[in-house]
């Protein structure tokens, strides 16, 4: 059980622009913010560096990606995180953007950049669900030759 | 070398730097300013511009200053180099004759609170060290960001923990003979590094700097005034900045410290090339930052930072002595004033240890100023020149 005093999504941003993202997480749907002019996708929400806020829309992401980099946090920086060792990962989503997350089901050993990962949703408090990732079964994700 | 900037550093004050000095932040700033005034042969009343690294309404009264302007400037560890640039602008536009850029913090005396997060939103653990939404995942403080970069470097280039360790050993070699440095009298070996505990994998304890207390002040003026004030002015030959948020969009965030744009401007202004740099003072709170910058500035090729350091190029007597006072890892941590102050000492020929004989140019870098995603650091590059 994760204690409720860990930070929640509303605590880390100053306004509600990402609220649709967190609402969708409760339905186990991963969203990304997309510019409909150039089709670039972003997370977290913000202006498209080419087209500003002209035509931004939340769209459903595949939930798949690859492991871009990771670290295992040994230091007890914060009492809010009680896991023995947290794997903080950056995932490159299939749609392009990088996303900080946790890699679950891994002790941080035998990982490699580029491993395929998939989203799963973790309830961290009532009303609060965050996306985390786990390694995908190689056989399930390898592209047909 | 012909500086296009007509700006020089006429004085510097550096207080004692160390752990838990028991001196308040503003008192550290006052001491630093007074040392800089004495150093530049100036009076309080001569200071007509004040740039404070941070934010406080208290300083002018406590420091006894009545300048034409007083600004706060904060872009993290890039602030000290950035303050030189802002001061240069004020001097160039005749808004001030002598600008004091002042820093003083007591990090180790006032450590970040480790209070549990409160849902009331008034108390967040580690506060500013959380840097936005990666905090949700337990990512706290800059070490984790540099760890993500280190892991990426290892994956791309085969860099090893030993490669990182040699940076720590080399910088400690400089610090072990520098009176007042945190690592004074305490050289370390690669085994010491490998035996030190893991903090954020792959960064070990000896890959990380630790906070110290201290003050620093620099007085910026025109080259002509500086030459009248002191017989060892330090010329500002060139400078450049680059904010790194673009690296979040282009996916290079964990492979770059956003050096290129800043470096290009600085080297163009200074009209020198990387081969002309005699000594380097790099902003490197973690070992990986030294390797990345050696590569990004072009002292060696991408991915060759580890072997470059292993060959001794950055150490005492090397081709490009780097962080010659021990840097932030083993000297002291005064954000970007660690490299800046050492660069000034080297250009004056006054480094208390490991003075690079005949050094005429010094590269100083700064990094900081989060762009909204942890790791989207700003970068600042400064090329200093010795008086001739």
């Amino acid at each position: 059980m994760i204690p409720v005093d860990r930070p929640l999504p509303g605590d880390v941003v100053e306004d509600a622009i990402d609220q649709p993202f967190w609402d969708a997480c409760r339905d186990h749907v991963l969203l990304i913010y997309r510019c409909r002019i150039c089709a670039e996708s972003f997370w977290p929400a913000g202006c498209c560096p080419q087209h500003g806020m002209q035509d931004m829309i939340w769209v459903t992401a595949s939930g798949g990606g690859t492991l871009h980099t990771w670290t295992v946090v040994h230091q007890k920086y914060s009492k809010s995180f009680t896991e023995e060792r947290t794997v903080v990962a950056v995932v490159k989503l299939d749609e392009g953007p990088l996303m900080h997350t946790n890699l679950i089901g891994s002790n941080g050993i035998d990982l490699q950049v580029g491993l395929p990962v998939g989203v799963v949703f973790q309830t961290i408090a009532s009303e609060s669900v965050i996306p985390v990732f786990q390694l995908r079964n190689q056989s399930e994700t390898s592209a047909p030759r | 070398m012909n500086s296009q900037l007509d700006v020089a550093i006429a004085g510097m004050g550096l207080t004692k730097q160390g752990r838990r000095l028991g001196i308040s932040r503003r008192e550290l700033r006052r001491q630093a300013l007074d040392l800089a005034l004495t150093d530049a042969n100036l009076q309080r009343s001569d200071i007509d511009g004040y740039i404070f690294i941070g934010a406080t309404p208290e300083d002018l009264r406590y420091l006894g200053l009545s300048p034409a302007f007083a600004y706060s400037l904060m872009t993290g560890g890039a602030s000290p180099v950035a303050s030189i640039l802002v001061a240069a602008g004020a001097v160039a536009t005749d808004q001030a004759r002598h600008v004091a850029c002042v820093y003083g913090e007591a990090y180790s005396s006032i450590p970040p609170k480790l209070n549990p997060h409160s849902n009331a939103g008034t108390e967040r653990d580690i506060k500013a060290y959380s840097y936005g939404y990666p905090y949700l995942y337990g990512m706290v403080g800059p070490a984790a960001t540099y760890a993500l970069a280190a892991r990426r470097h290892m994956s791309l280039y085969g860099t090893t923990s030993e490669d990182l360790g040699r940076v720590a050993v080399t910088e400690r070699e400089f610090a072990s003979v520098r009176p007042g440095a945190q690592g004074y009298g305490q050289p370390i070996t690669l085994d010491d590094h490998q035996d030190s505990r893991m903090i954020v994998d792959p960064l070990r304890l000896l890959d990380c700097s630790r906070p110290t207390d201290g003050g620093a002040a620099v007085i910026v003026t025109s080259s002509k005034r500086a030459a009248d004030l002191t017989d060892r002015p330090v010329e500002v030959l060139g400078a450049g900045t680059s904010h790194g948020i673009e690296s979040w969009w282009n996916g290079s965030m964990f492979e770059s410290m956003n050096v290129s744009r800043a470096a290009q401007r600085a080297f163009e202004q200074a009209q020198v090339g990387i081969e002309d740099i005699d000594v380097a003072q790099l902003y490197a709170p973690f070992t990986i930052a030294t390797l990345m910058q050696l590569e990004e500035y072009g002292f060696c090729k991408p991915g060759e930072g580890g072997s470059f350091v292993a060959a001794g190029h950055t150490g005492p007597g090397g081709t490009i002595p780097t962080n010659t006072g021990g840097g932030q890892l083993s000297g002291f941590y005064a954000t970007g004033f660690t490299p800046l102050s050492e660069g000034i000492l080297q250009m004056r020929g006054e480094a208390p240890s490991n003075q690079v004989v005949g050094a005429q140019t010094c590269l100083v870098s700064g990094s900081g100023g989060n762009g909204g995603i942890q790791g989207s650091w700003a970068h600042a590059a400064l090329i200093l020149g010795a008086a001739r």
Side-chain angles (χ1 to χ4, degrees), chain A residues 4-9 11-12 80-81 124, chain B residues 117 125 135-137:
Chain A
V4 294
D5 59 3
R6 66 176 280 166
L8 302 176
D11 298 319
V12 294
S80 302
F81 291 86
I124 58 170
Chain B
H117 175 77
D125 54 359
Y135 182 32
L136 288 175
Y137 296 102

Side-chain angles (χ1 to χ4, degrees), chain A residues 5-6 69 71 77-78 131, chain B residues 114 117 124-125 136-137 148 201:
Chain A
D5 59 3
R6 66 176 280 166
T69 186
T71 181
Y77 285 113
S78 165
Chain B
L114 286 162
H117 175 77
R124 295 175 182 182
D125 54 359
L136 288 175
Y137 296 102
L148 293 170
D201 189 358

Side-chain angles (χ1 to χ4, degrees), chain A residues 5-6 8-9 11 22 43-44 68-72 74-75 77-81 86 88 98 100 102 113 131, chain B residues 114 116-117 124-126 133-139 143 147-148 151-152 155 197-201 248 373:
Chain A
D5 59 3
R6 66 176 280 166
L8 302 176
D11 298 319
W22 302 112
W43 165 253
H68 188 70
T69 186
W70 76 95
T71 181
V72 184
H74 293 246
Q75 181 82 351
Y77 285 113
S78 165
K79 295 175 184 172
S80 302
F81 291 86
T86 305
V88 175
L98 301 175
H100 290 76
N102 290 135
V113 166
Chain B
L114 286 162
H117 175 77
R124 295 175 182 182
D125 54 359
I126 322 277
Y133 89 96
Y135 182 32
L136 288 175
Y137 296 102
M139 193 163 167
L148 293 170
R151 177 59 66 191
R152 187 85 187 151
S155 172
R197 69 186 168 88
M198 203 63 92
I199 302 294
V200 273
D201 189 358
W248 177 245
I373 299 288

Side-chain angles (χ1 to χ4, degrees), chain B residues 56-135:
Chain B
T56 176
E58 288 270 334
D59 268 36
L60 294 183
R61 173 178 57 75
Y62 186 77
L63 272 58
L65 294 174
S66 54
F69 69 83
Y71 307 139
S72 284
L73 189 154
M74 178 42 80
T75 182
S79 305
V81 168
S83 75
I84 302 293
L85 272 176
V86 174
V91 170
T93 54
D94 211 17
Q95 302 306 303
R97 294 166 304 146
H98 310 106
V99 182
C101 306
V102 182
Y103 162 91
E105 292 290 344
Y107 288 122
S108 63
S109 296
I110 314 169
K113 288 184 179 176
L114 286 162
N115 292 330
H117 175 77
S118 159
N119 287 331
T122 54
E123 186 98 58
R124 295 175 182 182
D125 54 359
I126 322 277
K127 292 183 176 168
Y129 293 85
S130 63
Y131 306 108
Y133 89 96
Y135 182 32

